[in-house]
């Protein structure tokens, strides 16, 4: 088939392998490595290595990863040294592919160590570092390219740029879709709760307690997430959209404790600019800096034939895209309010959707004596673990099994029941776990969990619940 002007129409595959300027991809690598290095230093400086991975005698695990455990004390510190070194090597482009692989494996290992510390940007870092193993982001502005001039290239295949844009864009789009619910749009929650905690801010503080401000901010947040990618892709709106990105992430970074996520997203959004955007910026500083990136091609080389290697690459990229679309949508497979049950909630870009506060007490029934003991979670867990466990049913289940195992090691056979109450987005506290289910008889799985009680907004809050808090 030909175009109306008689020129051959470019196929999708040809467009994906068309060369594009490598400058923005090199900038992405440098910024990502730098932010990762800052993040590792910040982790060390705040004492989080000790607090999260060394001090706790017990760690919550992700489904299927109960075999992952921390290194001994000195080993964890050495592990973070390796993480920092890998981040620096990615940044400067030295032994790039090996460094990216080490960064992915080492960071994902840390992420899998403790479910209580789950953050969306940890998952994003794992995804990006995994993709970077296979992407040729080191062919410009890197020590590898300087040491081996044959490696240097002014271009990269368009699919590399498209894949990174998809991965970053998915965060915004799915975060926006997740906000299309009554709590966010109609009740203005949880933003109403969070904003009212900042009424001491000069000038604007008194307005943050107003309900209309929370609802307006909720609508604006949903609209931003749903549209910003499309505005970033358009030449006419890109600069305004990126200004909105910087403003949005600056405000959220100042108001909410979400780590380096705002800065990672602000830097990553530059990938939506034209591929050559760093060139004029470098030229303003110095011609020497500008020469770090090989000169742009003056003519587009003819397309190479689609061989077996390229076909396999296309299939793998397509598989990754399908998985990244399916995972955020899997919550539709579960019944009820999945923000309440947290089924299909993680690894789905359901960002800033809930404010939960929970209380859990375990009833441990000894079969031999018939005695029932009320177990306080703080005997086994750190304050952070206790807080996060009390609002997540799957973590309550894992903790119940841990307590039962502890009693078993002491020669006692027990049943464990949970009195668990949770308040979500300002609602009255309600039971979240069936108190009549012996949790030692329940095995975690990816199937719907009937032992989680559904959220019933029409039910009156229990007097028992009120007395528990």
């Amino acid at each position: 088939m030909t175009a109306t002007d008689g020129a051959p129409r470019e196929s999708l595959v040809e467009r994906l392998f068309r060369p594009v300027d490598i400058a923005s991809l090199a900038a992405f690598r440098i910024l990502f490595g730098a932010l990762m290095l800052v993040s590792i230093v910040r982790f060390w400086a705040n004492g989080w290595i000790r607090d999260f991975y060394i001090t706790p005698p017990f760690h919550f695990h992700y489904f299927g990863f109960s075999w992952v455990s921390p290194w001994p004390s000195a080993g964890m510190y050495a592990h973070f040294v390796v993480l920092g070194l890998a981040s620096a090597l990615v940044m400067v482009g030295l032994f790039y592919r090996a460094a990216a692989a080490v960064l992915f494996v080492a960071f994902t290992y840390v992420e899998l160590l403790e479910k209580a510390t789950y953050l969306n940007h940890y998952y994003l870092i794992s995804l990006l570092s995994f993709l970077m193993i296979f992407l040729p982001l080191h062919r410009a502005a890197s020590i590898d390219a300087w040491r081996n001039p044959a490696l240097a290239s002014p271009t990269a295949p368009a699919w590399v740029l498209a894949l990174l844009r998809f991965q970053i864009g998915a965060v915004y789009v799915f975060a926006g879709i997740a906000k299309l619910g009554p709590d966010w749009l109609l009740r203005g929650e949880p933003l109403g709760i969070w904003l009212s905690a900042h009424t001491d801010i000069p000038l604007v503080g008194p307005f943050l307690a107003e309900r209309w401000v929370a609802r307006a901010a909720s609508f604006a947040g949903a609209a931003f997430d749903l549209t910003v990618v499309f505005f970033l892709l358009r030449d006419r709106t890109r600069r305004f959209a990126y200004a909105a990105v910087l403003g949005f992430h600056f405000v959220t970074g100042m108001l909410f404790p979400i780590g380096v996520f705002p800065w990672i997203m602000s830097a990553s959004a530059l990938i939506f600019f034209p591929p050559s955007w760093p060139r004029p910026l470098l030229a303003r500083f110095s011609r020497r800096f500008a020469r770090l990136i090989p000169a742009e091609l003056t003519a587009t080389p003819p397309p190479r034939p689609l061989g077996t290697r390229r076909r396999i690459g296309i299939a793998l990229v397509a598989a990754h895209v399908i998985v990244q679309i399916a995972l955020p949508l899997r919550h539709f497979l579960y019944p009820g309010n999945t923000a309440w049950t947290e089924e299909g909630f993680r690894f789905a870009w359901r960002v800033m959707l809930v404010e939960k506060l929970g209380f859990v007490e375990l009833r441990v029934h000894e079969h031999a004596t018939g005695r029932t003991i009320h177990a306080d979670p703080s005997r086994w867990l750190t304050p952070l673990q206790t807080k996060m466990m009390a609002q997540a049913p799957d973590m309550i289940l894992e903790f119940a099994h841990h307590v039962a195992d502890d009693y078993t090691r002491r020669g006692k056979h027990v049943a464990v029941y949970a009195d668990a109450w949770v308040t979500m987005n300002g609602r009255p506290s309600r039971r979240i776990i069936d108190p009549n289910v012996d949790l030692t008889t329940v095995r975690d799985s990816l199937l719907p969990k009937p032992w989680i009680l559904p959220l019933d907004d029409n039910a009156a809050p229990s007097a028992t619940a009120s007395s528990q808090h």
Side-chain angles (χ1 to χ4, degrees):
M1 186 177 294
T2 59
T4 54
D5 61 357
R9 179 176 294 175
E10 195 176 29
S11 69
L12 174 61
V13 172
E14 288 173 333
R15 290 200 300 271
L16 289 176
F17 283 95
R18 183 176 55 198
V20 297
D21 197 321
I22 200 172
S24 67
L25 297 171
F28 179 89
R29 187 203 78 236
I30 294 168
L31 291 172
F32 180 82
L35 284 170
M36 281 302 303
L37 183 57
V38 169
S39 181
I40 299 306
V41 172
R42 178 171 171 265
F43 229 84
W44 194 299
N46 286 322
W48 293 337
I49 302 173
R50 178 191 66 251
D51 294 344
F52 295 163
Y53 309 113
I54 298 174
T55 299
F58 167 76
H59 294 277
F60 288 98
H61 301 93
Y62 294 94
F63 179 77
F65 290 93
S66 59
W67 50 273
V68 180
S69 59
W71 300 104
S73 178
M76 283 307 304
Y77 285 107
H79 187 92
F80 272 81
V81 170
V82 172
L83 257 177
L85 180 60
S87 301
L89 292 178
V90 166
M91 178 179 67
V92 301
L94 177 61
F95 310 121
Y96 162 74
R97 292 196 188 274
V102 170
L103 179 58
F104 164 68
V105 172
F107 186 87
T108 304
Y109 161 80
V110 171
E111 183 181 5
L112 293 174
L113 284 178
E114 179 57 73
K115 190 177 355 183
T117 61
Y118 171 81
L119 291 171
N120 283 286
H121 74 267
Y122 289 176
Y123 175 47
L124 178 62
I125 289 169
S126 286
L127 287 174
L128 292 176
S129 58
F130 171 74
L131 292 177
M132 289 171 68
I133 299 171
F134 310 99
L135 304 183
L137 309 189
H138 61 316
R139 296 193 167 214
S142 72
I143 297 178
D144 283 344
W146 173 72
R147 294 170 65 220
N148 180 14
L151 180 69
S153 173
T155 66
W159 67 264
V160 176
L161 183 63
L163 182 58
L164 288 175
R165 285 178 172 178
F166 164 80
Q167 193 66 76
I168 300 301
V171 179
Y172 287 114
V173 173
F174 283 113
I177 293 172
K179 291 178 173 65
L180 301 180
D183 271 21
W184 187 273
L185 294 180
L186 301 181
R187 299 179 65 237
E189 297 292 1
L191 271 187
I193 297 171
W194 296 336
L195 293 177
S196 62
H198 295 281
T199 54
D200 57 338
I201 296 178
L203 299 178
V204 300
F207 295 99
L208 298 182
E210 298 288 337
R211 177 54 50 185
W212 69 268
V213 173
R215 289 197 176 99
S218 296
F219 270 98
F224 171 83
D225 283 337
L226 288 169
T227 62
V228 69
V229 171
F230 304 101
F231 288 132
L232 283 170
L233 287 170
R234 297 190 60 189
D235 292 338
R236 296 180 61 182
T237 56
R238 184 176 295 115
R239 293 180 182 274
F240 301 104
Y242 190 67
V245 166
L246 294 179
F248 177 84
H249 288 302
F250 176 79
V251 171
T252 56
M254 293 297 102
L255 292 180
F256 311 123
I258 50 179
V260 298
F261 184 71
W263 321 124
I264 289 177
M265 294 306 294
S266 295
S268 297
L270 290 168
I271 202 70
F272 293 100
F273 276 71
S276 61
W277 72 262
R279 291 186 183 275
L281 190 64
L282 289 174
R284 288 183 183 180
F285 287 98
S286 168
R287 290 185 178 181
R288 181 179 299 176
F289 285 127
R291 287 197 296 269
L292 290 173
I293 304 175
E296 295 177 88
L297 292 179
T298 56
T300 302
R304 292 165 50 193
L306 186 64
T308 302
R309 185 176 178 181
R310 287 191 169 192
R311 292 179 188 274
I312 294 174
I314 292 172
L316 292 175
V317 169
H320 177 82
V321 169
I322 291 171
V323 169
Q324 291 305 309
I325 293 174
L327 278 177
L329 299 177
R330 74 189 190 281
H331 69 95
F332 288 114
L333 300 176
Y334 295 97
N337 188 328
T338 53
W340 171 258
T341 66
E342 299 203 6
E343 294 175 294
F345 197 80
R346 300 182 188 93
F347 313 110
W349 314 124
R350 300 177 68 75
V351 182
M352 298 178 67
L353 284 188
V354 295
E355 170 66 20
K356 282 182 174 179
L357 182 63
F359 172 85
V360 176
E361 187 176 69
L362 297 184
R363 287 180 285 116
V364 182
H365 178 76
E366 295 182 4
H367 291 296
T369 64
R371 184 176 63 162
T372 297
I373 302 169
H374 293 272
D376 181 359
S378 62
R379 287 175 50 191
W380 291 270
L381 305 177
T382 66
L384 174 65
Q385 289 176 316
T386 301
K387 174 185 176 182
M388 301 309 295
M389 178 272 299
Q391 58 189 262
D394 59 340
M395 294 174 67
I396 294 173
L397 175 65
E398 184 177 3
F399 178 59
H401 279 268
H402 175 69
V403 171
D405 291 342
D406 190 26
Y407 275 86
T408 299
R409 284 189 291 269
R410 289 182 274 160
K412 298 178 181 180
H413 182 50
V414 300
V416 180
Y417 305 87
D419 288 315
W421 306 87
V422 171
T423 174
M424 185 180 83
N425 292 348
R427 292 176 174 81
S429 186
R430 306 191 190 283
R431 279 193 185 272
I432 194 169
I433 303 293
D434 188 337
N436 300 311
V437 172
D438 176 8
L439 294 179
T440 65
T441 66
V442 178
R443 291 292 177 266
D444 197 11
S445 75
L446 300 179
L447 298 175
K449 301 172 174 59
W451 46 273
I452 302 178
L453 298 177
L455 177 64
D456 185 358
D457 281 326
N458 297 318
S462 167
T464 307
S466 300
S467 67
Q468 295 281 357
H469 296 282

